[in-house]
Amino acid sequence: MEMLVLRWRVSTRETGGFQVSYAVVGLLVLYTGLLVYLGRLGRKRSTSENFIHGGRQFSAVQVFFMISALWCSWIFVVELETAFLFGLSALWFGVAVGIMALASVYALATPMRRLSYVTNSGLIGQRFGSAARSLAGVVIAVTFPIFAMSNVLAAAAFLHVVLGWPLLVTLVGTAAVMLAYVMLGGIWALAYTQIANFVVMTLGLVIGVVVALHSAPLHLMQHRLQPRFFSLSGVGFGVMLTWLFSDLLNVVSAQAEFQVLTAAKDPGTARRGLYGAMVSIVAFTLLSVVIGMAARTVVGGRELGVFALPQLFIRGSSPVVVAVMALAMWASALTWSAPLMFSGASSLGADVLGLLRRGALGGRLRFCVQVCLPLQAALIVLYATLRPQDLAWWSVFSLTLRNGAIFAPTIAVLLWPAATRLAAVASIAGGALAGLAWNVGSNFSTTKFLLGLNPMWVSATAGIGLLTVLTLVARTDPVRIRPERLARPGVVAALSTLAVSVGLIVLARPSLVATGLLGPVILILAVSVLAVSAQVAGESRSGASPVAVTA
C-alpha cells in the first residue's frame, strides 16, 4: 500500500499535474473555514436556554438534513467495509437502520416530546431521581465517543493512504474542527453544518459510484468476484438478524436522533422531515454497496475495506476526484461524530456536571455542556488510538455498556413509571456490570460468546430483570390480579409474546443459538414480563401511569 501511495505521488509530479496532497489539504482548509462560518451562524440562533434543544423550532427541512446526515454517514462507512468483505448482502445494514429510524419517529416521537425530552439520562432522571440521572449520564458520556470514532477512523485511513498522514494527526484535526463549530452554537450549529456535510457526502457518493462503475463495470464484477458476493444472504442470516434486532433495541436509546426529532416544532414536522430522510437512507443503502464491491473487484482482498477504497480512486481517477472523495470521507466523519460528541456532552454537562452545580439552568447549562465537549473529543481520540484495528470489539463493548444501563429504565419510563428509584438505579448499574462480566467470560471475543449469548443482550436483559424484580419486591401492598385487567389489549399482546418467546426457547434453542437469536428472544421475554407486571400489578400509590407509546 505504501508503495502504491509513493507511485501515485511520483506519477502526479511527472505528468505536470498538481499534487493531490495540495488539492486535499486546500479543500480541507477551505471547508473548515466554511464550517466555522456556519457554526457562527448557528450561534446567532443559539441562546443559553436552547443550546441543547434549539427551542423546539426546527423545520421539516432541518430535520431532513440532520437525520439524513446522521444515518447516511453511518450507512456509508459500514456498508463500504461490509460490501467489500461480503458483497450485496451489506445492504441489509441500511435496511435495519431505516426500520430503526421509522420506528423511532412513529412509536416514540410524540411521547418523548410530551415528556420534554432533552437527553435519555435527563428523561430517566425526571422519573427516577438524580442518582439514576447522573449514573445514566456517565454511561452515555463514556460510550458515545466509542460510537463516534468509527467514521473518524475510516476518514483517517483514507487520508493516510492519500497523504500519508499518521492516524493521530487526522484524529486530533477532526476533533478540533468539530469543537470549533459545535461549541459556538450547540445544536443550532449542527443544524447548519450538517447541511454542508450532507451535501459534500452526497457528492462523494455520486462521484464514487461513477468511478466505481467505470473502474469495475458489472460484467467485470461478475467475472472477478465469487458468487457469494451477489447473494442477498452472503453475510449470513445470523448477522442480518443481529443488525435488525440490535437496531430495534437502539430505538429507545438513539439519543442523538431523539434530540433532533424533539427539537422539531411538533411531531408532524418531525415525521415530514423523516419521510425525506428515508429517501436518502435508501439511496445510500443501495449505492454504498456498489462502491464497496467495486473496490473489492479492483483491489482484491489483500487489504481491509477502509484501505482498499482510496486505492480504487488512486488507480483510476484524477487528483481532483481523489481530493473530493477525501473531503467526502472527512465530511462523513464530521457528520456522524459531531452529533454524537454533542449528545454525549449534553448528558455529561446537563445531567452530571449540572447536578453537581445544583441545577444547570440557562447560561450555566450551556457552560456545563461546553466544558464537557473537549472531554468528549479527547475520548474519541483516546479510544481510537488505543485499539484502532478492533472496531468490532469496541462496538460490542459500547453497545453492551450503553444498552445495559439505558434500555431498562427508559422502557420503565414509557411502560412502568411506577417502578421504584432503587430498582432503576440497580438496573443501570447491574445491567452494565452483567454485560461486562459476560464480556470477560467470553474473553472479550467479538464472535464467540459464552453460551452463545452476545453480551449486549445479556446486559439489557439483566437490567430489565433487576428493575422488574426489585420493583415487585418493594411493593408494600399485595399484588391483586384483577380479571378485567387481563383482558386489556396490551396485556393480551404481552402475554402472547411471552408465551411465544418461551416456546421458542424451549423448542428451538439450538437454532436460536446458531442464528444468534437466543439473546434477542430472551430479552423480548423479559420485556414481556415487565409489561405484564406493569399492567396487572397496577400503579403505585403515587398514581404514576404509563406513557402512551403512539405516534
Side-chain angles (χ1 to χ4, degrees), residues 223-526:
H223 177 69
R224 292 187 179 179
L225 298 180
Q226 300 174 11
R228 66 181 179 87
F229 280 88
F230 299 93
S231 171
L232 286 175
S233 59
V235 73
F237 284 108
V239 173
M240 291 156 51
L241 292 172
T242 298
W243 284 340
L244 176 61
F245 280 100
S246 62
D247 280 340
L248 289 176
L249 184 62
N250 287 338
V251 165
V252 298
S253 14
Q255 178 169 299
E257 180 183 26
F258 281 126
Q259 284 183 308
V260 175
L261 295 177
T262 56
K265 295 176 181 178
D266 53 65
T269 300
R271 285 193 291 271
R272 289 193 298 274
L274 186 67
Y275 292 150
M278 288 304 301
V279 176
S280 303
I281 289 173
V282 170
F284 272 79
T285 296
L286 297 175
L287 298 180
S288 298
V289 170
V290 175
I291 301 175
M293 292 179 67
R296 181 63 177 240
T297 303
V298 173
V299 181
R302 298 181 301 277
E303 301 279 0
L304 293 174
V306 291
F307 291 113
L309 179 65
Q311 295 183 45
L312 170 67
F313 298 100
I314 287 175
R315 293 185 180 192
S317 305
S318 69
V320 175
V321 170
V322 176
V324 172
M325 286 304 302
L327 182 63
M329 290 299 297
W330 195 52
S332 75
L334 299 173
T335 301
W336 174 247
S337 303
L340 294 176
M341 182 184 73
F342 176 73
S343 194
S346 298
S347 281
L348 186 61
D351 303 322
V352 181
L353 182 58
L355 290 181
L356 296 178
R357 291 173 58 88
R358 297 184 179 180
L361 299 175
R364 287 184 296 172
L365 172 60
R366 179 166 62 179
F367 171 77
C368 289
V369 175
Q370 287 175 326
V371 166
C372 294
L373 279 168
L375 177 59
Q376 289 289 287
L379 285 177
I380 293 175
V381 175
L382 176 63
Y383 291 149
T385 52
L386 286 177
R387 298 181 67 168
Q389 74 283 3
D390 292 326
L391 278 179
W393 182 88
W394 280 117
S395 178
V396 171
F397 176 80
S398 56
L399 286 171
T400 297
L401 192 61
R402 195 274 306 270
N403 291 339
I406 304 303
F407 180 74
T410 305
I411 287 292
V413 169
L414 298 170
L415 300 181
W416 199 11
T420 66
R421 292 189 173 192
L422 177 61
V425 172
S427 73
I428 294 171
L433 290 175
L436 291 177
W438 209 264
N439 255 320
V440 173
S442 304
N443 293 320
F444 290 97
S445 172
T446 59
T447 55
K448 297 181 180 180
F449 306 114
L450 184 65
L451 302 181
L453 293 172
N454 189 307
M456 70 175 174
W457 306 118
V458 174
S459 62
T461 303
I464 290 289
L466 281 169
L467 190 143
T468 303
V469 172
L470 291 179
T471 295
L472 292 175
V473 169
R475 288 180 63 97
T476 56
D477 53 325
V479 176
R480 296 184 177 88
I481 300 178
R482 301 175 182 176
E484 65 272 15
R485 286 182 173 173
L486 294 177
R488 291 177 176 176
V491 176
V492 173
L495 286 173
S496 301
T497 303
L498 193 156
V500 171
S501 301
V502 171
L504 287 173
I505 293 172
V506 172
L507 301 176
R509 186 178 182 279
S511 298
L512 294 176
V513 172
T515 57
L517 291 181
L518 180 61
V521 171
I522 293 177
L523 176 59
I524 291 171
L525 187 153

Side-chain angles (χ1 to χ4, degrees), residues 63-85:
V63 172
F64 159 74
F65 276 109
M66 292 190 73
I67 295 297
S68 295
L70 180 69
W71 294 132
C72 290
S73 60
W74 193 29
I75 292 170
F76 186 51
V77 170
V78 172
E79 285 199 4
L80 287 176
E81 177 73 23
T82 309
F84 179 82
L85 295 173

